[in-house]
Amino acid sequence: MAAASSSSSSSSPQTDTCLNFITHLLKALKDSMVNVFFHDEKPEQLSQPLSPEIASSSRLKHQVFLSFSGEDTRLNFTAHLLKALKDKGMNVFFDEETLEKGEQLSQALSLAIAASNLSIIVLSVDYASSKSCLAELSDIMRRKDTQGHIVLPIFYHVDPSDVRNHGGSFKTSFNHHESNRLPQVQRWKTAFAEVGKLKGWHIEGGKFDRPETEYIKDIVEYVIKKLMSSKFRSASAELIGIDYQKKTILRLIEKEDSRLIGLWGQGGIGKTTLSDVIYNEISCKFEDSCFLLNVREKLKKQGMESLRNELLSKLLKQAIHVDTPSIGSTLIQERLSNKRVLVVLDDVNDSDQIDCFGVKHFGDGSKIIVTSRDRQVLKNGGVDKIHEVKMLNKDDSLQLFSTFAFKLLNPAADFRDLSIKFVEYARGSPLALRVLGSKLYKKSRKEWESEVDKLKEYDQPKISQILRSSFDDLDEVEKNIFLDIAIFFKGTFKKDVEEILSCYYKGAVCGISNLIDKCLLGSTSYDGRIVMHDMLQEMGKNIVRKESIDPGKRSRLWSAKDVYQVLSYNKGINLIQGIKLDMSQIDNLRLDRSIFEGMINLRVIFFYTPGMFPGKRWAEKLLEDQVDGVSLPDEIRYLCWDNCPFKSLSGFNPKNLVVLKLVNGHIEHLWDDDDHQGMKMTE
C-alpha cells in the first residue's frame, strides 16, 4: 500500500477518526488469518532494479493487499485492520518487516499486488491527493480487469458517488494533479471512477453509525469467505451466504455411495443458484456434463422425448433421437455407461422424470444433482442423499439486501433500522431480498417507511405478498410487459421479445430493462434469453386469473381447460389479448372461420405441441369446420400455430405482424397481400 507523506504534524478530528478505524480493521483482518500487504510510506522512484533477495520476497503469496492513505488512516482504522488480520494468523506483508531500504519500492508494490488474491482499498478524504496511492489503485484495477484480481473498496467517511464522479475533495485533488500536467492523470481518474462502482462498505461515521470495530469484524469475515472460495472470479451478490452449504454438498459428492444427490427447499430459496455454483466448480473434473435448467417448465413445452434427446446429445456429442418412453437402444446405453458425467436436473416435480432421463445408464463415478420443492419426489426418485437448502441467516440476508438496495455490502447508517425490518419480512429468501432491495434503491426514507407500512398490513408477509408489492409499484406498461412475458415469452430471446412488444407498447425496451433492474426479470449471459423465476411467473398468472371468474373476460389465456372452453363456446370477446395453448392437453376441437372475430384486441396466438419439429406429424387437435380459411384480428403481432388446419389466412392484414411460425400445417396461401417485409417467418 502506498501512503501519502504528511507535510504537517497537525491532525484534524476527521484524520484522528480515520486513523482509529484503520487500526481496528487491520486487527480484525489479521485475527482472521488473512495475509495482508501493509505499506504506509511514500514510495520513491529509484532507478536501480530489485535485488534477487527483494524479488524473491516479493514473490511470496499474500492473501490481501491493503491500499490506503497514510495521512488519513495509518494510525487508526488501517492499523486496527492490520492487527485483526495478524491475530487471525494471516501472513501480513508489511513494509517495515519485509522490504529493505533503498529498493525500488513502486516495483515492489506492483509485485506484491500481483502476488495477492485480494486488495482492500480504503478510500478516505485525502486518498486521491497521493500520487502513489493513485498509481497503486490504477495497478490494482488493471489486474482486476486482466487477471480477475478481487477488489474490495471501503468508502471511509466519503460518499461513494463522489468516488464515481470525482466529486467533493477528490475533485480538488485531481485538479491539482492536472495542473501539474501529469500524463497518467486520466488513467488514474478512470480507475478511480471504476472502483467507485464496485460493491463495498460505506463507513459514514457520526452518531448514527455503528462502531468501527463491528465494521472491521464484518469486513474480515467477508474477506475470509472470499478467500476460501476456490473460484474467485465467480463471486457475486448471488453467492452471498452459500459457502457452508456448498461445502456440505461437495462433501456428499465426494462419497462413493452418493450418486444421486437431491437439493430440496421452497421456491426462491436458492436451489438453482447453489447447484449452478457447484456445477461450475466441479464440471471440469468429469468427462462430460450438462445442466438442464427448469425441467418442469421445459417438459411442458418440449415434452420428455425432446428434452431427454437434448441431454443425451450433449453428453454423447452427437445428435440423438430416441422416440420411445425409455432408452431402448443398447448402443446408447453402452456409450453412456462408458462415460463419467455430471448432470444437474433443475426443478423436477415428478419422480418418474429422474428415471426417464436415463441416469441409471451413466457410467461409474457419475454424479446427478436433482433440485425439487418436493422432498417426496426426491425420495421416490431413488435419490441417495437429500440436502435441505437453508434460508439465509440475518447477517447474510442484510448483506444481500444491501447489495441491491445500496449497491454496497452494508446498509447506510440512517437506513439500517428499516433495512433490518425488510430483512425480517423476507425471512431469509434470496429472491425476496433481491426484489425488495432493487425496489428500494435510491428511494427516500419516507418511501422506505411507506413500503414498511404496506408490508405491515400482513401479519407475517409471505414471499408472494412481497413480490406482489413490487408488481403493484410498476407503471401500466411495465405491468403489461411483465404479464406478457410471464405467460407467453419466458425463455424467448430478449431481442425478439423487445421487437415484438415494441410494436405494441411505447418504451418496451426501456420497460424490459427496468424490470431487469428490479429483479423481476433476468437475461441469460450465454444466449440472451429472457428468464423469470417461477414464483414470479406464478404470481403473474394469479394476477390474470383474478381479473374475472369467467376465462372469456380475462386478458390472457394459457390454461388448456380455459382455452378449450372459450373456443368451444365462442366466448372470446375484446378483452382477450393473447392465447397460449398446449394442444396435447385438449380433445379434438373444430374451429369455424369466425372463431377469433370477437377478439379484436388479440395480439398473440401461440398454439403449440411439445416436441414438435418440422417433418414430424402429430395427431391434429384443432380442426377446420368445413372451411378453408380463418379470419384473424389485424392486431396480431405473434402468430405461432403448429399443425394449423386452415389452408389460408385470407382477409387478414399482416401490417402489425412481427413473428409468423407455422409448422407442419395445411397453409397453402397466406393472405391476399403478400407484403410482409420485416417479419420473422418459419414454416
PDB file of all heavy atoms in Angstrom, residues 249 262-278 291 344 346-348 369-374 378 387-390 430 533-534:
ATOM      1  N   ILE A 249     -22.455 -29.957   0.336  1.00  0.00           N
ATOM      2  CA  ILE A 249     -22.822 -30.726  -0.856  1.00  0.00           C
ATOM      3  C   ILE A 249     -21.585 -31.305  -1.533  1.00  0.00           C
ATOM      4  O   ILE A 249     -21.607 -32.447  -2.023  1.00  0.00           O
ATOM      5  CB  ILE A 249     -23.617 -29.836  -1.827  1.00  0.00           C
ATOM      6  CG1 ILE A 249     -24.928 -29.401  -1.166  1.00  0.00           C
ATOM      7  CG2 ILE A 249     -23.915 -30.578  -3.124  1.00  0.00           C
ATOM      8  CD1 ILE A 249     -25.634 -28.289  -1.875  1.00  0.00           C
ATOM      9  N   GLY A 262     -29.998 -34.965  -3.947  1.00  0.00           N
ATOM     10  CA  GLY A 262     -31.142 -34.069  -4.075  1.00  0.00           C
ATOM     11  C   GLY A 262     -30.959 -32.796  -3.281  1.00  0.00           C
ATOM     12  O   GLY A 262     -30.476 -32.819  -2.141  1.00  0.00           O
ATOM     13  N   LEU A 263     -31.339 -31.664  -3.880  1.00  0.00           N
ATOM     14  CA  LEU A 263     -31.389 -30.385  -3.172  1.00  0.00           C
ATOM     15  C   LEU A 263     -32.856 -30.012  -3.024  1.00  0.00           C
ATOM     16  O   LEU A 263     -33.561 -29.822  -4.017  1.00  0.00           O
ATOM     17  CB  LEU A 263     -30.643 -29.291  -3.950  1.00  0.00           C
ATOM     18  CG  LEU A 263     -29.175 -29.546  -4.298  1.00  0.00           C
ATOM     19  CD1 LEU A 263     -28.556 -28.291  -4.898  1.00  0.00           C
ATOM     20  CD2 LEU A 263     -28.391 -29.986  -3.082  1.00  0.00           C
ATOM     21  N   TRP A 264     -33.306 -29.920  -1.795  1.00  0.00           N
ATOM     22  CA  TRP A 264     -34.728 -29.716  -1.521  1.00  0.00           C
ATOM     23  C   TRP A 264     -34.922 -28.408  -0.760  1.00  0.00           C
ATOM     24  O   TRP A 264     -34.158 -28.059   0.145  1.00  0.00           O
ATOM     25  CB  TRP A 264     -35.257 -30.890  -0.696  1.00  0.00           C
ATOM     26  CG  TRP A 264     -36.591 -30.638  -0.065  1.00  0.00           C
ATOM     27  CD1 TRP A 264     -37.778 -30.417  -0.704  1.00  0.00           C
ATOM     28  CD2 TRP A 264     -36.863 -30.547   1.336  1.00  0.00           C
ATOM     29  NE1 TRP A 264     -38.787 -30.209   0.210  1.00  0.00           N
ATOM     30  CE2 TRP A 264     -38.253 -30.288   1.470  1.00  0.00           C
ATOM     31  CE3 TRP A 264     -36.081 -30.670   2.482  1.00  0.00           C
ATOM     32  CZ2 TRP A 264     -38.859 -30.138   2.714  1.00  0.00           C
ATOM     33  CZ3 TRP A 264     -36.687 -30.528   3.718  1.00  0.00           C
ATOM     34  CH2 TRP A 264     -38.058 -30.271   3.823  1.00  0.00           C
ATOM     35  N   GLY A 265     -35.960 -27.657  -1.129  1.00  0.00           N
ATOM     36  CA  GLY A 265     -36.272 -26.417  -0.428  1.00  0.00           C
ATOM     37  C   GLY A 265     -37.376 -25.665  -1.144  1.00  0.00           C
ATOM     38  O   GLY A 265     -37.722 -25.970  -2.287  1.00  0.00           O
ATOM     39  N   GLN A 266     -37.935 -24.681  -0.473  1.00  0.00           N
ATOM     40  CA  GLN A 266     -39.051 -23.926  -1.039  1.00  0.00           C
ATOM     41  C   GLN A 266     -38.595 -23.056  -2.204  1.00  0.00           C
ATOM     42  O   GLN A 266     -37.398 -22.814  -2.397  1.00  0.00           O
ATOM     43  CB  GLN A 266     -39.692 -23.055   0.039  1.00  0.00           C
ATOM     44  CG  GLN A 266     -38.841 -21.876   0.474  1.00  0.00           C
ATOM     45  CD  GLN A 266     -39.563 -21.008   1.485  1.00  0.00           C
ATOM     46  OE1 GLN A 266     -40.128 -21.485   2.464  1.00  0.00           O
ATOM     47  NE2 GLN A 266     -39.543 -19.710   1.267  1.00  0.00           N
ATOM     48  N   GLY A 267     -39.538 -22.568  -2.991  1.00  0.00           N
ATOM     49  CA  GLY A 267     -39.218 -21.719  -4.121  1.00  0.00           C
ATOM     50  C   GLY A 267     -38.568 -20.421  -3.688  1.00  0.00           C
ATOM     51  O   GLY A 267     -38.942 -19.835  -2.677  1.00  0.00           O
ATOM     52  N   GLY A 268     -37.579 -19.964  -4.466  1.00  0.00           N
ATOM     53  CA  GLY A 268     -36.912 -18.703  -4.185  1.00  0.00           C
ATOM     54  C   GLY A 268     -35.821 -18.780  -3.147  1.00  0.00           C
ATOM     55  O   GLY A 268     -35.222 -17.767  -2.775  1.00  0.00           O
ATOM     56  N   ILE A 269     -35.510 -19.988  -2.668  1.00  0.00           N
ATOM     57  CA  ILE A 269     -34.531 -20.114  -1.588  1.00  0.00           C
ATOM     58  C   ILE A 269     -33.102 -20.238  -2.096  1.00  0.00           C
ATOM     59  O   ILE A 269     -32.143 -20.116  -1.337  1.00  0.00           O
ATOM     60  CB  ILE A 269     -34.890 -21.325  -0.698  1.00  0.00           C
ATOM     61  CG1 ILE A 269     -34.242 -21.194   0.676  1.00  0.00           C
ATOM     62  CG2 ILE A 269     -34.465 -22.637  -1.357  1.00  0.00           C
ATOM     63  CD1 ILE A 269     -34.727 -22.224   1.673  1.00  0.00           C
ATOM     64  N   GLY A 270     -32.922 -20.507  -3.396  1.00  0.00           N
ATOM     65  CA  GLY A 270     -31.574 -20.537  -3.959  1.00  0.00           C
ATOM     66  C   GLY A 270     -31.070 -21.904  -4.388  1.00  0.00           C
ATOM     67  O   GLY A 270     -29.861 -22.099  -4.518  1.00  0.00           O
ATOM     68  N   LYS A 271     -31.972 -22.848  -4.644  1.00  0.00           N
ATOM     69  CA  LYS A 271     -31.536 -24.194  -5.053  1.00  0.00           C
ATOM     70  C   LYS A 271     -30.788 -24.154  -6.393  1.00  0.00           C
ATOM     71  O   LYS A 271     -29.746 -24.789  -6.549  1.00  0.00           O
ATOM     72  CB  LYS A 271     -32.753 -25.131  -5.170  1.00  0.00           C
ATOM     73  CG  LYS A 271     -33.539 -25.312  -3.892  1.00  0.00           C
ATOM     74  CD  LYS A 271     -34.682 -26.299  -4.060  1.00  0.00           C
ATOM     75  CE  LYS A 271     -35.742 -25.821  -5.035  1.00  0.00           C
ATOM     76  NZ  LYS A 271     -36.432 -24.588  -4.590  1.00  0.00           N
ATOM     77  N   THR A 272     -31.328 -23.403  -7.342  1.00  0.00           N
ATOM     78  CA  THR A 272     -30.707 -23.327  -8.664  1.00  0.00           C
ATOM     79  C   THR A 272     -29.355 -22.638  -8.589  1.00  0.00           C
ATOM     80  O   THR A 272     -28.377 -23.081  -9.208  1.00  0.00           O
ATOM     81  CB  THR A 272     -31.631 -22.574  -9.641  1.00  0.00           C
ATOM     82  OG1 THR A 272     -32.888 -23.256  -9.720  1.00  0.00           O
ATOM     83  CG2 THR A 272     -31.017 -22.504 -11.027  1.00  0.00           C
ATOM     84  N   THR A 273     -29.283 -21.543  -7.837  1.00  0.00           N
ATOM     85  CA  THR A 273     -28.006 -20.821  -7.684  1.00  0.00           C
ATOM     86  C   THR A 273     -26.952 -21.722  -7.063  1.00  0.00           C
ATOM     87  O   THR A 273     -25.810 -21.774  -7.524  1.00  0.00           O
ATOM     88  CB  THR A 273     -28.216 -19.574  -6.805  1.00  0.00           C
ATOM     89  OG1 THR A 273     -29.145 -18.700  -7.440  1.00  0.00           O
ATOM     90  CG2 THR A 273     -26.901 -18.839  -6.605  1.00  0.00           C
ATOM     91  N   LEU A 274     -27.328 -22.451  -6.030  1.00  0.00           N
ATOM     92  CA  LEU A 274     -26.393 -23.332  -5.342  1.00  0.00           C
ATOM     93  C   LEU A 274     -25.894 -24.441  -6.264  1.00  0.00           C
ATOM     94  O   LEU A 274     -24.689 -24.723  -6.331  1.00  0.00           O
ATOM     95  CB  LEU A 274     -27.074 -23.920  -4.104  1.00  0.00           C
ATOM     96  CG  LEU A 274     -26.232 -24.791  -3.177  1.00  0.00           C
ATOM     97  CD1 LEU A 274     -24.997 -24.049  -2.702  1.00  0.00           C
ATOM     98  CD2 LEU A 274     -27.074 -25.255  -1.984  1.00  0.00           C
ATOM     99  N   SER A 275     -26.810 -25.067  -6.992  1.00  0.00           N
ATOM    100  CA  SER A 275     -26.400 -26.149  -7.896  1.00  0.00           C
ATOM    101  C   SER A 275     -25.556 -25.609  -9.045  1.00  0.00           C
ATOM    102  O   SER A 275     -24.634 -26.284  -9.521  1.00  0.00           O
ATOM    103  CB  SER A 275     -27.630 -26.881  -8.437  1.00  0.00           C
ATOM    104  OG  SER A 275     -28.515 -25.992  -9.096  1.00  0.00           O
ATOM    105  N   ASP A 276     -25.831 -24.375  -9.474  1.00  0.00           N
ATOM    106  CA  ASP A 276     -25.044 -23.763 -10.547  1.00  0.00           C
ATOM    107  C   ASP A 276     -23.613 -23.511 -10.099  1.00  0.00           C
ATOM    108  O   ASP A 276     -22.657 -23.755 -10.851  1.00  0.00           O
ATOM    109  CB  ASP A 276     -25.707 -22.457 -10.984  1.00  0.00           C
ATOM    110  CG  ASP A 276     -24.972 -21.785 -12.127  1.00  0.00           C
ATOM    111  OD1 ASP A 276     -24.692 -22.465 -13.138  1.00  0.00           O
ATOM    112  OD2 ASP A 276     -24.656 -20.592 -12.026  1.00  0.00           O
ATOM    113  N   VAL A 277     -23.447 -23.026  -8.876  1.00  0.00           N
ATOM    114  CA  VAL A 277     -22.104 -22.776  -8.340  1.00  0.00           C
ATOM    115  C   VAL A 277     -21.313 -24.078  -8.260  1.00  0.00           C
ATOM    116  O   VAL A 277     -20.143 -24.148  -8.652  1.00  0.00           O
ATOM    117  CB  VAL A 277     -22.197 -22.119  -6.946  1.00  0.00           C
ATOM    118  CG1 VAL A 277     -20.828 -22.078  -6.276  1.00  0.00           C
ATOM    119  CG2 VAL A 277     -22.762 -20.712  -7.069  1.00  0.00           C
ATOM    120  N   ILE A 278     -21.957 -25.118  -7.764  1.00  0.00           N
ATOM    121  CA  ILE A 278     -21.288 -26.419  -7.640  1.00  0.00           C
ATOM    122  C   ILE A 278     -20.950 -26.981  -9.018  1.00  0.00           C
ATOM    123  O   ILE A 278     -19.850 -27.489  -9.253  1.00  0.00           O
ATOM    124  CB  ILE A 278     -22.187 -27.395  -6.853  1.00  0.00           C
ATOM    125  CG1 ILE A 278     -22.311 -26.922  -5.404  1.00  0.00           C
ATOM    126  CG2 ILE A 278     -21.639 -28.819  -6.919  1.00  0.00           C
ATOM    127  CD1 ILE A 278     -23.389 -27.612  -4.616  1.00  0.00           C
ATOM    128  N   PHE A 291     -26.231 -29.171 -17.648  1.00  0.00           N
ATOM    129  CA  PHE A 291     -27.108 -28.540 -16.663  1.00  0.00           C
ATOM    130  C   PHE A 291     -28.448 -28.290 -17.348  1.00  0.00           C
ATOM    131  O   PHE A 291     -28.559 -27.421 -18.204  1.00  0.00           O
ATOM    132  CB  PHE A 291     -26.494 -27.222 -16.187  1.00  0.00           C
ATOM    133  CG  PHE A 291     -27.158 -26.641 -14.961  1.00  0.00           C
ATOM    134  CD1 PHE A 291     -26.441 -26.504 -13.778  1.00  0.00           C
ATOM    135  CD2 PHE A 291     -28.483 -26.230 -14.982  1.00  0.00           C
ATOM    136  CE1 PHE A 291     -27.028 -25.964 -12.642  1.00  0.00           C
ATOM    137  CE2 PHE A 291     -29.082 -25.698 -13.859  1.00  0.00           C
ATOM    138  CZ  PHE A 291     -28.354 -25.560 -12.688  1.00  0.00           C
ATOM    139  N   VAL A 344     -27.052 -31.983 -13.889  1.00  0.00           N
ATOM    140  CA  VAL A 344     -27.963 -31.306 -12.958  1.00  0.00           C
ATOM    141  C   VAL A 344     -29.346 -31.270 -13.590  1.00  0.00           C
ATOM    142  O   VAL A 344     -29.511 -30.797 -14.718  1.00  0.00           O
ATOM    143  CB  VAL A 344     -27.499 -29.873 -12.641  1.00  0.00           C
ATOM    144  CG1 VAL A 344     -28.530 -29.176 -11.750  1.00  0.00           C
ATOM    145  CG2 VAL A 344     -26.136 -29.879 -11.962  1.00  0.00           C
ATOM    146  N   ASP A 346     -32.674 -29.550 -12.864  1.00  0.00           N
ATOM    147  CA  ASP A 346     -33.173 -28.449 -12.038  1.00  0.00           C
ATOM    148  C   ASP A 346     -34.698 -28.367 -12.066  1.00  0.00           C
ATOM    149  O   ASP A 346     -35.308 -28.369 -13.138  1.00  0.00           O
ATOM    150  CB  ASP A 346     -32.573 -27.128 -12.547  1.00  0.00           C
ATOM    151  CG  ASP A 346     -33.166 -25.922 -11.861  1.00  0.00           C
ATOM    152  OD1 ASP A 346     -33.009 -25.813 -10.631  1.00  0.00           O
ATOM    153  OD2 ASP A 346     -33.809 -25.102 -12.554  1.00  0.00           O
ATOM    154  N   ASP A 347     -35.301 -28.295 -10.890  1.00  0.00           N
ATOM    155  CA  ASP A 347     -36.744 -28.125 -10.705  1.00  0.00           C
ATOM    156  C   ASP A 347     -37.537 -29.303 -11.271  1.00  0.00           C
ATOM    157  O   ASP A 347     -38.324 -29.168 -12.211  1.00  0.00           O
ATOM    158  CB  ASP A 347     -37.218 -26.811 -11.342  1.00  0.00           C
ATOM    159  CG  ASP A 347     -38.623 -26.438 -10.877  1.00  0.00           C
ATOM    160  OD1 ASP A 347     -39.073 -26.982  -9.853  1.00  0.00           O
ATOM    161  OD2 ASP A 347     -39.272 -25.616 -11.555  1.00  0.00           O
ATOM    162  N   VAL A 348     -37.340 -30.457 -10.657  1.00  0.00           N
ATOM    163  CA  VAL A 348     -38.070 -31.674 -11.017  1.00  0.00           C
ATOM    164  C   VAL A 348     -39.288 -31.798 -10.109  1.00  0.00           C
ATOM    165  O   VAL A 348     -39.185 -31.618  -8.894  1.00  0.00           O
ATOM    166  CB  VAL A 348     -37.158 -32.916 -10.871  1.00  0.00           C
ATOM    167  CG1 VAL A 348     -37.950 -34.197 -11.026  1.00  0.00           C
ATOM    168  CG2 VAL A 348     -36.021 -32.856 -11.886  1.00  0.00           C
ATOM    169  N   ILE A 369     -27.239 -34.309  -9.767  1.00  0.00           N
ATOM    170  CA  ILE A 369     -27.829 -33.407  -8.777  1.00  0.00           C
ATOM    171  C   ILE A 369     -29.239 -33.062  -9.239  1.00  0.00           C
ATOM    172  O   ILE A 369     -29.441 -32.626 -10.372  1.00  0.00           O
ATOM    173  CB  ILE A 369     -26.992 -32.127  -8.616  1.00  0.00           C
ATOM    174  CG1 ILE A 369     -25.569 -32.474  -8.140  1.00  0.00           C
ATOM    175  CG2 ILE A 369     -27.658 -31.164  -7.640  1.00  0.00           C
ATOM    176  CD1 ILE A 369     -24.626 -31.285  -8.120  1.00  0.00           C
ATOM    177  N   VAL A 370     -30.214 -33.280  -8.358  1.00  0.00           N
ATOM    178  CA  VAL A 370     -31.612 -33.025  -8.691  1.00  0.00           C
ATOM    179  C   VAL A 370     -32.166 -32.008  -7.697  1.00  0.00           C
ATOM    180  O   VAL A 370     -32.053 -32.200  -6.487  1.00  0.00           O
ATOM    181  CB  VAL A 370     -32.456 -34.317  -8.626  1.00  0.00           C
ATOM    182  CG1 VAL A 370     -33.892 -34.034  -9.056  1.00  0.00           C
ATOM    183  CG2 VAL A 370     -31.840 -35.411  -9.484  1.00  0.00           C
ATOM    184  N   THR A 371     -32.752 -30.911  -8.188  1.00  0.00           N
ATOM    185  CA  THR A 371     -33.389 -29.935  -7.295  1.00  0.00           C
ATOM    186  C   THR A 371     -34.903 -30.062  -7.390  1.00  0.00           C
ATOM    187  O   THR A 371     -35.452 -30.323  -8.459  1.00  0.00           O
ATOM    188  CB  THR A 371     -32.979 -28.492  -7.633  1.00  0.00           C
ATOM    189  OG1 THR A 371     -33.666 -28.051  -8.805  1.00  0.00           O
ATOM    190  CG2 THR A 371     -31.483 -28.384  -7.861  1.00  0.00           C
ATOM    191  N   SER A 372     -35.569 -29.886  -6.250  1.00  0.00           N
ATOM    192  CA  SER A 372     -37.033 -30.006  -6.224  1.00  0.00           C
ATOM    193  C   SER A 372     -37.585 -29.305  -4.992  1.00  0.00           C
ATOM    194  O   SER A 372     -36.906 -29.193  -3.962  1.00  0.00           O
ATOM    195  CB  SER A 372     -37.450 -31.475  -6.212  1.00  0.00           C
ATOM    196  OG  SER A 372     -38.862 -31.596  -6.186  1.00  0.00           O
ATOM    197  N   ARG A 373     -38.820 -28.849  -5.109  1.00  0.00           N
ATOM    198  CA  ARG A 373     -39.515 -28.290  -3.952  1.00  0.00           C
ATOM    199  C   ARG A 373     -40.173 -29.381  -3.118  1.00  0.00           C
ATOM    200  O   ARG A 373     -40.630 -29.125  -2.005  1.00  0.00           O
ATOM    201  CB  ARG A 373     -40.598 -27.310  -4.408  1.00  0.00           C
ATOM    202  CG  ARG A 373     -40.096 -26.115  -5.170  1.00  0.00           C
ATOM    203  CD  ARG A 373     -41.254 -25.179  -5.487  1.00  0.00           C
ATOM    204  NE  ARG A 373     -40.862 -24.133  -6.409  1.00  0.00           N
ATOM    205  CZ  ARG A 373     -41.676 -23.174  -6.829  1.00  0.00           C
ATOM    206  NH1 ARG A 373     -42.925 -23.147  -6.412  1.00  0.00           N
ATOM    207  NH2 ARG A 373     -41.252 -22.256  -7.672  1.00  0.00           N
ATOM    208  N   ASP A 374     -40.254 -30.577  -3.651  1.00  0.00           N
ATOM    209  CA  ASP A 374     -40.981 -31.681  -3.011  1.00  0.00           C
ATOM    210  C   ASP A 374     -40.007 -32.766  -2.589  1.00  0.00           C
ATOM    211  O   ASP A 374     -39.403 -33.437  -3.423  1.00  0.00           O
ATOM    212  CB  ASP A 374     -42.015 -32.235  -3.996  1.00  0.00           C
ATOM    213  CG  ASP A 374     -42.983 -33.210  -3.351  1.00  0.00           C
ATOM    214  OD1 ASP A 374     -42.625 -33.816  -2.324  1.00  0.00           O
ATOM    215  OD2 ASP A 374     -44.094 -33.383  -3.891  1.00  0.00           O
ATOM    216  N   LEU A 378     -38.030 -36.519  -4.522  1.00  0.00           N
ATOM    217  CA  LEU A 378     -36.632 -36.961  -4.462  1.00  0.00           C
ATOM    218  C   LEU A 378     -36.539 -38.363  -3.859  1.00  0.00           C
ATOM    219  O   LEU A 378     -35.777 -39.207  -4.346  1.00  0.00           O
ATOM    220  CB  LEU A 378     -35.807 -35.971  -3.637  1.00  0.00           C
ATOM    221  CG  LEU A 378     -35.733 -34.539  -4.201  1.00  0.00           C
ATOM    222  CD1 LEU A 378     -34.988 -33.621  -3.232  1.00  0.00           C
ATOM    223  CD2 LEU A 378     -35.047 -34.531  -5.563  1.00  0.00           C
ATOM    224  N   HIS A 387     -30.172 -32.940   0.598  1.00  0.00           N
ATOM    225  CA  HIS A 387     -29.715 -31.770   1.361  1.00  0.00           C
ATOM    226  C   HIS A 387     -30.821 -30.725   1.362  1.00  0.00           C
ATOM    227  O   HIS A 387     -31.294 -30.307   0.307  1.00  0.00           O
ATOM    228  CB  HIS A 387     -28.443 -31.182   0.744  1.00  0.00           C
ATOM    229  CG  HIS A 387     -28.038 -29.865   1.373  1.00  0.00           C
ATOM    230  ND1 HIS A 387     -27.381 -29.801   2.576  1.00  0.00           N
ATOM    231  CD2 HIS A 387     -28.224 -28.574   0.956  1.00  0.00           C
ATOM    232  CE1 HIS A 387     -27.168 -28.529   2.886  1.00  0.00           C
ATOM    233  NE2 HIS A 387     -27.671 -27.769   1.914  1.00  0.00           N
ATOM    234  N   GLU A 388     -31.244 -30.306   2.541  1.00  0.00           N
ATOM    235  CA  GLU A 388     -32.244 -29.251   2.636  1.00  0.00           C
ATOM    236  C   GLU A 388     -31.552 -27.897   2.515  1.00  0.00           C
ATOM    237  O   GLU A 388     -30.689 -27.546   3.333  1.00  0.00           O
ATOM    238  CB  GLU A 388     -32.992 -29.327   3.970  1.00  0.00           C
ATOM    239  CG  GLU A 388     -34.045 -28.239   4.107  1.00  0.00           C
ATOM    240  CD  GLU A 388     -34.760 -28.277   5.448  1.00  0.00           C
ATOM    241  OE1 GLU A 388     -34.461 -29.178   6.261  1.00  0.00           O
ATOM    242  OE2 GLU A 388     -35.610 -27.384   5.683  1.00  0.00           O
ATOM    243  N   VAL A 389     -31.899 -27.145   1.491  1.00  0.00           N
ATOM    244  CA  VAL A 389     -31.301 -25.823   1.287  1.00  0.00           C
ATOM    245  C   VAL A 389     -31.898 -24.869   2.313  1.00  0.00           C
ATOM    246  O   VAL A 389     -33.116 -24.702   2.403  1.00  0.00           O
ATOM    247  CB  VAL A 389     -31.563 -25.308  -0.146  1.00  0.00           C
ATOM    248  CG1 VAL A 389     -30.954 -23.926  -0.337  1.00  0.00           C
ATOM    249  CG2 VAL A 389     -30.983 -26.285  -1.159  1.00  0.00           C
ATOM    250  N   LYS A 390     -31.027 -24.250   3.104  1.00  0.00           N
ATOM    251  CA  LYS A 390     -31.463 -23.426   4.225  1.00  0.00           C
ATOM    252  C   LYS A 390     -31.687 -21.972   3.813  1.00  0.00           C
ATOM    253  O   LYS A 390     -31.109 -21.480   2.854  1.00  0.00           O
ATOM    254  CB  LYS A 390     -30.400 -23.457   5.335  1.00  0.00           C
ATOM    255  CG  LYS A 390     -30.011 -24.853   5.792  1.00  0.00           C
ATOM    256  CD  LYS A 390     -31.135 -25.519   6.566  1.00  0.00           C
ATOM    257  CE  LYS A 390     -30.676 -26.854   7.157  1.00  0.00           C
ATOM    258  NZ  LYS A 390     -31.762 -27.544   7.878  1.00  0.00           N
ATOM    259  N   PRO A 430     -33.609 -15.423  -0.629  1.00  0.00           N
ATOM    260  CA  PRO A 430     -32.780 -14.607  -1.532  1.00  0.00           C
ATOM    261  C   PRO A 430     -33.607 -13.877  -2.584  1.00  0.00           C
ATOM    262  O   PRO A 430     -33.317 -12.728  -2.912  1.00  0.00           O
ATOM    263  CB  PRO A 430     -31.836 -15.637  -2.169  1.00  0.00           C
ATOM    264  CG  PRO A 430     -31.757 -16.752  -1.182  1.00  0.00           C
ATOM    265  CD  PRO A 430     -33.136 -16.818  -0.576  1.00  0.00           C
ATOM    266  N   HIS A 533     -38.056 -16.008 -12.545  1.00  0.00           N
ATOM    267  CA  HIS A 533     -38.223 -17.023 -11.506  1.00  0.00           C
ATOM    268  C   HIS A 533     -39.646 -17.565 -11.555  1.00  0.00           C
ATOM    269  O   HIS A 533     -40.609 -16.819 -11.791  1.00  0.00           O
ATOM    270  CB  HIS A 533     -37.932 -16.430 -10.131  1.00  0.00           C
ATOM    271  CG  HIS A 533     -37.716 -17.471  -9.072  1.00  0.00           C
ATOM    272  ND1 HIS A 533     -38.753 -18.154  -8.481  1.00  0.00           N
ATOM    273  CD2 HIS A 533     -36.580 -17.971  -8.525  1.00  0.00           C
ATOM    274  CE1 HIS A 533     -38.273 -19.017  -7.606  1.00  0.00           C
ATOM    275  NE2 HIS A 533     -36.944 -18.925  -7.606  1.00  0.00           N
ATOM    276  N   ASP A 534     -39.805 -18.857 -11.336  1.00  0.00           N
ATOM    277  CA  ASP A 534     -41.139 -19.452 -11.481  1.00  0.00           C
ATOM    278  C   ASP A 534     -42.135 -18.926 -10.443  1.00  0.00           C
ATOM    279  O   ASP A 534     -43.342 -18.930 -10.668  1.00  0.00           O
ATOM    280  CB  ASP A 534     -41.078 -20.986 -11.453  1.00  0.00           C
ATOM    281  CG  ASP A 534     -40.321 -21.536 -10.264  1.00  0.00           C
ATOM    282  OD1 ASP A 534     -39.923 -20.743  -9.406  1.00  0.00           O
ATOM    283  OD2 ASP A 534     -40.121 -22.759 -10.204  1.00  0.00           O
TER     284      ASP A 534
END
